[in-house]
Amino acid sequence: MDLGATNYSRIAVFGGVYNNYLSLQALVKEMPRHKVDALFCLGDLGAFGPHPDRVLPLLVENKIQVVQGNYDNSIGNDRDDCQCGYTDPRDNYFAQISYDYTNTHTSREFKNYQKNLPPEIRFVAHGKRVLLCHGSPRRTNEFLWESTTPTQFLEKIFKDYNADLILTTHTGIKWQRRLSNGKLFANIGVIGRPENDGKTNVWFSIVHFSPEVRVEFIPLEYDFQRLAKEMKEEKLPEEFIQTTLTGWWTTCLEILPGKERARGEF
Amino acid sequence: MMVATQTSTKSPPESIPKVSFHGLDALWFQVGGTICNLWCTHCFISCSPKNHTFEFMSANEVGKYLDESATYGVKEYYFTGGEPFMNRDMLAILEHTLQHGPATVLTNGILISPKIAARMRQLVDASLYTLEIRVSVDGFSEFTNDAIRGEGSFRRALEGVQNLVAEGFLPIITTMQSWDENENETVLRRFKETLMILGYTRPRLKIIPPLRIGREIMRYRGYTDGEHITPEMMIGYDDHQLLCSTSRTITNRGVYVCPILIDHDDARLGNTLAETFRPFPLQHQACYTCYLSGTVCSNFNPGRDN
């Protein structure tokens, strides 16, 4: 989807809601003080948390423009699994639990919404060509971790996809890198679960286009105790609840590169 | 003893499917040649202390390809052999590589002393990128491992693992599946228990399927006639799953399609990277294993198309 030339000077971007409607509510509540021109979500609306359908009205009422993640593609098209790209049996076991839960509790209306989301959103702001996608510009479920994404690879991607700013999510851990030619890449993390650093907050980003383009990562506090309580009520795995309460990932760890994995607890 | 290598299927050429080349994501270096300090009974390229079919690559040789690879936007580098740490240039090669991108070394772990582990810690700390060490261990006991990899190799490999863990590495323990598939869960559990007792508290494990070529033909068996890729099998198949669609392997004798087929002349695609960027016919029976298992050699599967 191409929005063409815009007059954006500041936008909010976030990824990976993972059914966490409470963090999404907290984010929306923060918006007035950031004075943004538009809100974007980079996909993966479901997974992990409770009550998938509570996310949809928040997206619609706040005019949030959403890129389709692998999860949304799966839920929208009634696929059997989340296409997360895990390779370890334990990771897949837990991924399937949250997928089956999300799939069962997502209304037909929300599934249709997810099915029709665009795989990427492009626009121009202050002369910069912006590309918003989920995993990478070339593959929805490609993991772009900081320690496995060479600068030479990013240089090629910027050239191949004609962009000045590329924003992605999918991995769950934020990072950014400015290239020597001024191009800017950022993986903006997720608001659905903490980023494996022992803290309970999540992260979103504000992109400033003036005087120069830059991405500001902003910590977001929300009622994680309530989320944990509702996850328990919905009989979601104790391992997920522990992540919400402690900030350490307990599942889906095998896909982490050694450098990122070593920073976590498990 | 060199074992005769099994090559193509009996299919006529027109029925051999080809894999497209989608761009160079992963670059492999046969940096240890076919020279190894072990003589494993399942080695698909029959490496040994005496196999000089492929020789070590120098830091200079590797460096030239590293610099060329940057222009193609290569995403990750792998180093294999033979035993990479028998190559005296290995640490210099890693230092250069980690300026370009993430690196993975496939090793038997035996030569990873506390000093080498400490030096690699310095290299990875000075880099933006990750350094993965994959240590091959065949099974969770001396009994299963040493039968395949030689007497004393279990204990020596695990000393290497402990040296890595002491430096904060999380080595990926790689093991060929030499047991029945329905025993997977038990083997994995016992493997993890063994590693935890040795102080590796959050072990990473990778199981790879047997490649029934090289010495493995004698250890267990070769491929049967029916085990090859047919054109029908490629219909609807996402060929990104195959390493050869996004990777090449550099040796001291030129550029090959993948690290598994270096004993086969038709797998040698050229002298420079650029001349090897073309489709490859999947005529080898080892291709069948990759077809079934996805990227056998990579740390992670690249994922499927939506």
Side-chain angles (χ1 to χ4, degrees), chain A residues 47-201:
Chain A
F48 192 73
H51 309 306
D53 274 352
R54 295 188 189 175
V55 170
L56 180 60
L58 290 165
L59 297 172
V60 175
E61 284 160 22
N62 294 285
K63 298 185 177 61
I64 297 170
Q65 300 178 77
V66 184
V67 169
Q68 186 182 62
N70 52 285
Y71 225 92
D72 318 319
N73 179 284
S74 286
I75 294 284
N77 291 290
D78 284 312
R79 292 181 195 266
D80 296 334
D81 67 65
C82 65
Q83 307 177 85
C84 292
Y86 301 132
T87 51
D88 178 76
R90 183 176 182 271
D91 288 356
N92 280 320
Y93 168 79
F94 283 106
Q96 198 62 41
I97 291 175
S98 70
Y99 185 76
D100 291 342
Y101 171 84
T102 304
N103 201 21
T104 310
H105 292 83
T106 302
S107 65
R108 181 48 55 190
E109 181 196 6
F110 197 16
K111 284 190 178 192
N112 285 338
Y113 171 95
Q114 295 184 44
K115 184 179 180 173
N116 295 316
L117 293 172
E120 63 172 42
I121 296 176
R122 284 176 179 270
F123 58 87
V124 177
H126 281 254
K128 298 290 181 195
R129 297 163 303 169
V130 181
L131 171 55
L132 309 180
C133 54
H134 181 73
S136 81
R138 61 184 197 169
R139 188 175 279 256
T140 296
N141 65 359
E142 181 168 20
F143 291 95
L144 294 183
W145 308 96
E146 183 172 26
S147 81
T148 56
T149 306
T151 299
Q152 64 197 29
F153 170 79
L154 291 177
E155 282 166 352
K156 182 168 187 295
I157 288 284
F158 275 106
K159 206 168 139 198
D160 288 353
Y161 290 87
N162 301 310
D164 302 303
L165 170 68
I166 296 176
L167 302 180
T168 70
T169 174
H170 189 54
T171 63
I173 300 181
K174 67 182 187 319
W175 61 279
Q176 60 176 310
R177 197 178 302 157
R178 193 179 292 275
L179 308 189
S180 57
N181 58 9
K183 312 265 185 195
L184 182 60
F185 174 89
N187 182 323
I188 51 122
V190 296
I191 65 163
R193 67 170 176 172
E195 65 166 16
N196 199 24
D197 60 357
K199 296 183 179 128
T200 53
N201 67 279

Side-chain angles (χ1 to χ4, degrees), chain A residues 146-147 149-153 155 177 259, chain B residues 59 62-63 66-67 69-70 74-77 79 91-103 119 122-131:
Chain A
E146 183 172 26
S147 81
T149 306
T151 299
Q152 64 197 29
F153 170 79
E155 282 166 352
R177 197 178 302 157
K259 208 160 186 160
Chain B
V62 171
L66 283 176
D67 294 338
S69 75
V74 166
K75 210 178 157 198
E76 53 181 347
Y77 298 95
F79 297 91
L91 292 173
I93 288 168
L94 286 179
E95 184 171 16
H96 187 176
T97 305
L98 286 167
Q99 292 164 17
H100 281 280
R119 178 62 187 141
Q122 288 175 339
L123 295 180
V124 74
D125 284 348
S127 171
L128 270 179
Y129 308 117
T130 194
L131 171 59

Side-chain angles (χ1 to χ4, degrees), chain A residues 213-252:
Chain A
V213 63
R214 71 185 168 92
V215 174
E216 182 186 4
F217 295 133
I218 298 182
L220 178 67
E221 303 287 349
Y222 72 99
D223 191 348
F224 67 92
Q225 299 280 9
R226 180 170 159 196
L227 187 79
K229 185 169 160 280
E230 292 182 11
M231 287 167 83
K232 210 174 180 94
E233 285 163 3
E234 290 299 291
K235 299 186 174 55
L236 287 162
E238 183 57 32
E239 285 81 354
F240 295 176
I241 296 166
Q242 281 309 310
T243 296
T244 299
L245 290 172
T246 65
W248 297 118
W249 294 1
T250 55
T251 61
C252 304

